[in-house]
Amino acid sequence: MRLIGVDVGGTFTDVVLYDVDTLDTFIHKVPTTLDDPSIGVLSGIVDLCATKGIDVGSIDYIRHGTTIATNAVLEHGGAETGVVTSEGFRDILHIGRHQRPQHYSIYQEIPWQDQPLVRRYNRLCVPERIAPPYGDVLTPLDEAAVRECALEFKSRGVGSIAVCFLFSYLNPQHEQRAKAFIKEVYPEAFVSVSADVSPQYREFERFTTTAMNAFIGPKVRNYVANLTDRLRDSGFDADLHIMTSSGGVATPQMIEEKPVLTLLSGPAAGVLGGAWAGALSNRDHLTTFDVGGTSADIALIIDGQFQMATARETQIGGYPIMLPMIDIHTIGAGGGSIAHLDAGGAFKVGPKSAGARPGPAAYGHGGTQATVTDANVVLGRLVPAHFLGGTMRLDANAAQRVVGQLAEQLDLSLEETAEGILTLLNANMANAIRSRTVQKGIDPREFSLVAFGGAGPLHGVEVAAQLGIREVIVPSRPGISSAVGLLTTGLRYDTIRTAFQVSDNFDTTRLTDDFDAMAQEIAAQFEADGVSRDDVSFQRAADLRYLGQGYELKIDLPAAPLDDGVLATMIDDFHARHESEYGHAFPGKPIEVVNIRVAGVGRTRTLLQPEPAAGGDVNAALIDRQLCMFRTGQTLHSYDTPIYRRRHLPIGVPIAGPAIIVQTDSTTVVPPNWQFTVEPLGNLVITRSA
């Protein structure tokens, strides 16, 4: 059986092919084709198969991490979208809540108001009303009004429609009927209903999530269909699965219905790849540090489990999204980040990136602005002749020219300017990690930093040093760790229902019935995908809060029946989690169950633990030496630095820095006063030596 993982980044598309039977692993990188990423995806897969003499028809599974949905949101490139909503509630999408991104600024930009997903004249109302608390019909749906809305959208050329009614999470019948009426008169429209996308209370977030699904829906649907056709036409008969934001993969059919599930598709795969690498080193407290060409993604692994974002933290581009997502923090910092002086003369790095084209000046494609990659070349931390395994030679003169131009503006030397670029970038990334650890009461020094992505190993050690972290793990193939992460997970579907029960009067029968019904719903989806129920495991959780609080904390539940003992443990776990998250708890106070959740994971063939490596010899691994610049104390020093080829390094032998370690998909920098060791299962572990 052969599996392929494909991850599309801002600069490169990474491909990994894994043979389950022989344990052979092959990797390949091609430039990302930004206009149509499916071209680069297909090219990378076909090139890799051709290079290794593998018949494309022998590939069984292709798992893909995509940025189509994310880019559509960040670039505001979605479809012209309309909304059908309850009469009198046309402006929920505009008003939002009293919270604002910046509490005290009167000049701030509010994404859902400044760049709305749905313009006001495309938000139409119909008479209907579902009433809480049981979902009774207060006002019947005006079917003629729904049809009129559909015809109006059709005449305007609005091809994507979201249906969002009040309290539909309690009773979805009005939304489902409205969808049927719209499809009847406007069959070519892409229609999303909130009861399918996010059946939870909080109208603003539910409406926004559904509008987002409609906004990105046509683009994602067309991309998935186009990729499926390209693969089929090229002779592939493999099952295609798409990475979702919650850490699993889904079928193309599911993604075409709920494209909003892919908003963190690529970064989520990276977290899984980082967790897998950490497990190979028997580490279960990890900070994953994924740095590519345009961005850095940061997440925490605690006790071997990735953390899910809470309802108050799930957002993309400033728009609140109410769906299960891995808790990932992203900043505009990567190898292509541009160093510049802002309008006030301040020296900044990012968030704007040179991207794949023209890319950094050192790429030789016409880049004219200094980037992080150019700074690394100037300081000797990237080796021009050994970039991408020697398949792409860097232009050192071009890098020196653009950094030199910035140095003249700053009145600094070439080397000081280059080192300043890296210092600013590393400080930005360290601050991003602090926001996920220190600001939440978590000590980052208790975690190992897993550095991957094309640029993560270049910066990982210096970022760790700023945080007091004493161990950095670099996976065996750091540049394609997100593609590897795609091969470590199975099919996963999540469902959620709003419950609203208080601890002094739990209705365990109703909760049990709801959990069972949700599990049946997921099992039916897996059965439609050809996965037996025997191959599906279920995970249950509940969102809890103290009665009167505004937001919840997710608490995992065992698979055991919901008796008094399980409920008591759930409450104790909530108190402990609240204490950890906020520094206090209120034992004895009533607790409210807001939502209940069920996740189903379908077992599929995944990446296995690799065979121990034989290792090499340090002298054979040494391929060159060159001068590299590192700051020690207050002074920038030049060091005669050995350059090692990673695949020839010995196993279990500590080697002192400074050192540059090159391989096909990344370059690792080990500064002075640090040392590195290659472990038997392939990880490079870097620790302080002084």
Side-chain angles (χ1 to χ4, degrees):
M1 178 176 288
R2 288 171 172 152
L3 316 176
I4 284 182
V6 190
D7 178 65
V8 178
T11 306
F12 291 103
T13 293
D14 304 327
V15 184
V16 57
L17 189 156
Y18 175 65
D19 192 313
V20 175
D21 302 314
T22 65
L23 303 184
D24 289 330
T25 304
F26 307 107
I27 66 173
H28 188 47
K29 296 174 80 77
V30 296
T32 294
T33 51
L34 297 177
D35 291 339
D36 184 355
S38 68
I39 297 174
V41 169
L42 183 65
S43 173
I45 296 173
V46 171
D47 288 352
L48 179 57
C49 290
T51 300
K52 301 303 177 182
I54 295 173
D55 178 14
V56 297
S58 69
I59 305 301
D60 298 284
Y61 291 98
I62 296 174
R63 296 178 183 168
H64 178 30
T66 174
T67 57
I68 290 292
T70 310
N71 292 341
V73 176
L74 299 181
E75 298 168 2
H76 304 284
E80 184 80 4
T81 303
V83 163
V84 178
T85 190
S86 305
E87 190 172 55
F89 292 86
R90 179 184 190 185
D91 292 320
I92 281 180
L93 282 170
H94 178 87
I95 296 170
R97 296 188 177 276
H98 69 277
Q99 299 103 324
R100 293 294 184 265
Q102 302 171 45
H103 287 298
Y104 304 109
S105 172
I106 61 174
Y107 296 108
Q108 64 183 294
E109 293 183 358
I110 300 173
W112 57 87
Q113 294 179 354
D114 296 332
Q115 293 182 304
L117 298 171
V118 185
R119 300 176 187 180
R120 191 172 192 269
Y121 60 77
N122 280 336
R123 301 197 295 265
L124 306 181
C125 298
V126 298
E128 71 81 40
R129 183 61 59 86
I130 299 292
Y134 302 113
D136 297 330
V137 176
L138 196 63
T139 302
L141 176 66
D142 188 330
E143 301 173 1
V146 174
R147 289 190 173 94
E148 289 177 8
C149 290
L151 291 171
E152 180 64 25
F153 285 137
K154 187 174 183 178
S155 69
R156 297 179 187 181
V158 175
S160 192
I161 301 171
V163 181
C164 305
F165 293 153
L166 293 183
F167 303 108
S168 63
Y169 61 88
L170 296 173
N171 181 349
Q173 67 171 332
H174 281 184
E175 287 193 348
Q176 298 295 353
R177 287 169 60 197
K179 178 179 180 179
F181 297 142
I182 293 170
K183 296 298 287 185
E184 179 183 320
V185 300
Y186 192 6
E188 60 270 32
F190 183 93
V191 184
S192 300
V193 301
S194 73
D196 289 342
V197 176
S198 180
Q200 304 174 62
Y201 100 108
R202 292 194 176 100
E203 272 73 18
F204 171 54
E205 289 82 358
R206 175 163 55 86
F207 283 25
T208 300
T209 303
T210 309
M212 180 74 76
N213 194 68
F215 182 72
I216 65 176
K219 179 168 281 192
V220 174
R221 179 186 59 188
N222 293 342
Y223 172 77
V224 172
N226 192 25
L227 177 59
T228 302
D229 291 342
R230 288 181 184 274
L231 289 169
R232 185 184 62 249
D233 293 344
S234 299
F236 287 92
D237 191 33
D239 288 335
L240 175 65
H241 291 145
I242 311 294
M243 187 74 195
T244 68
S245 305
S246 63
V249 291
T251 63
Q253 294 75 20
M254 173 62 77
I255 298 305
E256 288 177 2
E257 293 176 10
K258 298 182 183 178
V260 74
L261 295 176
T262 66
L263 284 170
L264 290 181
S265 175
V271 175
L272 298 181
W276 188 74
L280 296 180
S281 293
N282 294 316
R283 305 292 192 273
D284 60 4
H285 277 59
L286 308 164
T287 299
T288 63
F289 181 66
D290 180 3
V291 187
T294 58
S295 63
D297 301 317
I298 293 145
L300 294 183
I301 307 292
I302 300 177
D303 293 329
Q305 301 295 317
F306 53 76
Q307 305 302 292
M308 300 300 288
T310 62
R312 65 184 181 279
E313 294 174 325
T314 50
Q315 59 87 24
I316 296 292
Y319 303 96
I321 301 297
M322 205 157 53
L323 286 171
M325 290 185 177
I326 297 177
D327 189 4
I328 302 172
H329 184 49
T330 301
I331 62 171
S337 294
I338 294 172
H340 62 284
L341 299 182
D342 68 10
F347 183 23
K348 292 188 176 181
V349 180
K352 187 177 180 181
S353 172
R357 292 281 178 170
Y363 283 8
H365 299 317
T368 59
Q369 295 177 286
T371 68
V372 171
T373 294
D374 297 314
N376 275 307
V377 172
V378 168
L379 296 176
R381 302 185 186 189
L382 281 173
V383 187
H386 295 285
F387 188 69
L388 292 184
T391 61
M392 177 180 175
R393 187 178 182 90
L394 297 177
D395 187 341
N397 292 330
Q400 291 175 357
R401 182 176 64 254
V402 294
V403 175
Q405 292 168 353
L406 184 61
E408 291 180 4
Q409 293 178 271
L410 294 168
D411 195 23
L412 295 173
S413 72
L414 177 70
E415 292 78 11
E416 288 173 329
T417 302
E419 198 268 343
I421 292 172
L422 300 192
T423 298
L424 279 176
L425 182 88
N426 292 338
N428 291 341
M429 295 190 290
N431 285 335
I433 294 175
R434 289 189 184 97
S435 74
R436 315 316 286 175
T437 54
V438 176
Q439 293 181 19
K440 293 189 172 187
I442 298 171
D443 189 346
R445 296 171 298 182
E446 297 176 355
F447 291 70
S448 298
L449 185 77
V450 185
F452 55 97
L458 275 168
H459 300 272
V461 176
E462 291 188 337
V463 170
Q466 291 191 31
L467 296 164
I469 296 173
R470 299 186 62 85
E471 180 179 80
V472 176
I473 298 171
V474 180
S476 61
R477 296 178 176 86
I480 50 92
S481 286
S482 291
V484 169
L486 290 163
L487 304 183
T488 67
T489 188
L491 285 168
R492 175 180 173 128
Y493 296 132
D494 296 81
T495 186
I496 186 169
R497 287 189 183 182
T498 295
F500 283 137
Q501 293 200 29
V502 182
S503 55
D504 57 7
N505 189 29
F506 277 144
D507 184 344
T508 55
T509 300
R510 178 182 155 203
L511 286 173
T512 299
D513 290 345
D514 283 347
F515 272 126
D516 290 344
M518 293 161 73
Q520 291 288 350
E521 177 185 331
I522 291 177
Q525 181 62 55
F526 277 114
E527 185 176 351
D529 294 339
V531 180
S532 167
R533 179 160 186 153
D534 293 338
D535 291 325
V536 179
S537 60
F538 294 96
Q539 304 163 1
R540 300 192 299 182
D543 296 339
L544 275 64
R545 65 185 182 187
Y546 290 115
L547 191 62
Q549 278 187 316
Y551 287 94
E552 310 81 47
L553 295 173
K554 185 173 77 72
I555 304 300
D556 293 329
L557 299 176
L562 289 178
D563 56 21
D564 291 342
V566 169
L567 294 176
T569 301
M570 176 185 73
I571 290 172
D572 290 343
D573 289 346
F574 171 74
H575 289 311
R577 173 77 185 280
H578 199 282
E579 176 78 31
S580 173
E581 190 84 9
Y582 301 114
H584 59 272
F586 303 101
K589 295 292 185 181
I591 293 171
E592 185 176 28
V593 174
V594 178
N595 300 311
I596 56 175
R597 302 171 180 266
V598 175
V601 180
R603 287 184 291 275
T604 58
R605 298 302 293 269
T606 58
L607 193 65
L608 302 177
Q609 179 173 296
E611 295 289 336
D617 177 81
V618 68
N619 294 321
L622 181 63
I623 57 175
D624 205 349
R625 306 184 74 92
Q626 72 178 27
L627 293 178
C628 296
M629 307 292 293
F630 294 96
R631 183 173 294 278
T632 52
Q634 300 299 313
T635 309
L636 192 61
H637 292 283
S638 179
Y639 290 83
D640 180 27
T641 304
I643 301 169
Y644 298 103
R645 195 180 302 280
R646 180 164 178 174
R647 69 174 181 269
H648 294 154
L649 287 168
I651 304 298
V653 178
I655 302 173
I660 306 295
I661 304 163
V662 298
Q663 59 189 109
T664 300
D665 54 312
S666 188
T667 297
T668 302
V669 172
V670 182
N673 302 321
W674 290 73
Q675 66 180 14
F676 65 92
T677 306
V678 179
E679 294 186 331
L681 296 181
N683 282 343
L684 189 71
V685 179
I686 307 170
T687 56
R688 280 191 177 276
S689 57

